Amino acid sequence: MNKLNQLREMTAVVADTGDINAIRQFTPLDATTNPSLLLKAAQQAEYQPLIDEAIAWAAQQGGSSSEQTALCVDRIATKIGNEILQIVPGRISTEVDARLSFDTNATLERARRIMELYAQMGVGPERVLIKVASTWEGIKAAEILEREGVHCNLTLLFSFAQARACADAGVTLISPFVGRILDWYLHNTDATNFTKEEDPGVQSVRRIYQFYKEHGYETTVMGASFRNTGQIEALAGCDSLTISPNLLAELAADEGDLPRVLEPGANASKTTAAISEGEFRFQHNDDAMAHEKLGEGIRKFVVDQIALEDQLKARSQQGEPA
């Protein structure tokens, strides 16, 4: 049995892509998307009719040019999400505009609109995860959405403070990043290499996983942002892992043994006090890596969001009558 199939027996495997062909090939349980992946997906031939439909639909809704563009992006995200849901048996994660990461009310408004667009396609809330950056404001928005029956995936998670706040908020799932943490340590310390056991990204996810299990938190831990299969193997047994197609292919081609590393344990009990906003902000910002990578991650998603919007604007203008 190859390592991918061994991993499936202990961990929910999620495809970190919007590529329909890759999802068909690896048959994951769930799939995740973000602005960067949507930008790539928008270049694929099979999505071009969908994009044309989204542009026409957004124009029919009226409003300013910027409002129509925002609507168009959400329409495309949910249309692609719906296409993916025809293949995967589980859920699709769809991300709220990263420019709203520090605005709780705006995040709520956009998340509700995304859910309404899915509802119009006949997709129920049990099949969608709203992706929100793990800022304090994003976590507070997710807490409200969860009470409304909207399940959330808190992304761009780098610090233990973020993980604690997400657990307190009762979010459905968190996506602690592994590879980007490793990137920071390779760039900002004298280290040139880490074993998979020493990898700071792996250690971060292991710490969060053990804390959640020891204290009975039901939030799913889904490791994300992998640079190599060694990081994935070092987290075998984690609740869930979202993996890019190239690393899924490497695991599928490897016939070696994959031992389980993480175990849920037993006798869990909640004994921790909720983290306050002040504690959250100090502890997160006291972690230089987490502070820098959260800001960088938001900026990168915004760049790709704007690039997608610019493409849609140009395409819409090409279709307008002279």
Side-chain angles (χ1 to χ4, degrees):
M1 185 184 294
N2 64 49
K3 285 186 177 178
L4 179 57
N5 286 336
Q6 291 176 67
L7 183 65
R8 294 184 201 273
E9 294 191 340
M10 58 185 110
T11 292
V13 173
V14 178
D16 194 13
T17 182
D19 185 334
I20 286 287
N21 293 326
I23 293 169
R24 288 195 182 104
Q25 178 182 357
F26 295 108
T27 60
L29 176 65
D30 299 336
T32 60
T33 60
N34 60 43
S36 305
L37 296 176
L38 287 178
L39 181 61
K40 291 179 183 178
Q43 317 306 316
Q44 296 178 11
E46 55 261 52
Y47 286 138
Q48 299 316 301
L50 180 155
I51 292 170
D52 289 336
E53 185 277 339
I55 291 172
W57 175 85
Q60 293 171 357
Q61 308 309 306
S64 67
S65 174
S66 61
E67 290 171 340
Q68 288 183 27
T69 301
L71 272 172
C72 186
V73 170
D74 286 348
R75 179 78 165 186
I76 289 171
T78 53
K79 281 282 189 177
I80 289 177
N82 188 43
E83 290 293 317
I84 292 171
L85 287 175
Q86 307 310 307
I87 304 170
V88 301
R91 299 181 292 200
I92 182 68
S93 288
T94 299
E95 190 148 354
V96 169
D97 188 334
R99 287 170 292 193
L100 308 179
S101 296
F102 300 97
D103 189 329
T104 296
N105 289 331
T107 295
L108 288 169
E109 182 179 347
R110 187 62 63 86
R112 290 164 181 156
R113 184 167 80 187
I114 289 170
M115 294 305 297
E116 175 58 28
L117 289 171
Y118 272 120
Q120 291 171 8
M121 300 176 206
V123 176
E126 73 282 356
R127 300 210 66 197
V128 179
L129 289 170
I130 292 292
K131 260 179 114 172
V132 182
S134 300
T135 58
W136 180 259
E137 295 80 3
I139 294 167
K140 292 296 105 177
E143 185 173 17
I144 294 169
L145 290 167
E146 292 282 356
R147 290 201 298 264
E148 296 176 356
V150 176
H151 303 299
C152 297
N153 171 353
L154 273 290
T155 188
L156 293 175
L157 194 148
F158 301 98
S159 72
F160 191 65
Q162 289 174 296
R164 280 189 61 194
C166 287
D168 294 339
V171 304
T172 297
L173 181 148
I174 61 168
S175 295
F177 280 29
V178 178
R180 295 194 197 187
I181 293 178
L182 173 63
D183 295 344
W184 189 92
Y185 279 92
L186 291 174
H187 182 74
N188 291 279
T189 70
D190 293 332
T192 58
N193 192 31
F194 292 92
T195 68
K196 62 184 180 181
E197 294 298 319
E198 298 169 338
D199 188 304
V202 168
Q203 291 181 346
S204 175
V205 176
R206 285 183 177 180
R207 180 188 181 194
I208 292 167
Y209 178 88
Q210 296 299 342
F211 177 78
Y212 275 23
K213 302 313 173 190
E214 287 171 6
H215 296 286
Y217 291 112
E218 296 181 1
T219 298
T220 295
V221 179
M222 182 174 74
S225 170
F226 294 106
R227 297 291 177 261
N228 54 67
T229 57
Q231 293 176 323
I232 296 167
E233 292 175 21
L235 294 173
C238 193
D239 297 331
S240 183
L241 298 174
T242 181
I243 306 170
S244 63
N246 62 310
L247 294 180
L248 288 170
E250 287 186 35
L251 290 168
D254 190 337
E255 299 290 337
D257 183 51
L258 180 62
R260 183 172 190 136
V261 178
L262 298 181
E263 296 280 358
N267 302 320
S269 62
K270 285 189 180 180
T271 58
T272 59
I275 189 170
S276 69
E277 180 179 353
E279 290 171 325
F280 171 89
R281 294 194 186 280
F282 177 80
Q283 292 174 21
H284 178 76
N285 285 279
D286 195 45
D287 183 336
M289 175 278 298
H291 173 70
E292 292 175 22
K293 296 306 286 187
L294 174 60
E296 177 189 79
I298 291 172
R299 289 192 298 273
K300 285 184 175 180
F301 280 163
V302 169
V303 166
D304 287 337
Q305 178 92 9
I306 292 173
L308 177 58
E309 291 176 353
D310 287 344
Q311 287 186 17
L312 295 173
K313 289 175 186 176
R315 187 158 174 169
S316 177
Q317 289 167 0
Q318 289 172 3
E320 291 177 357

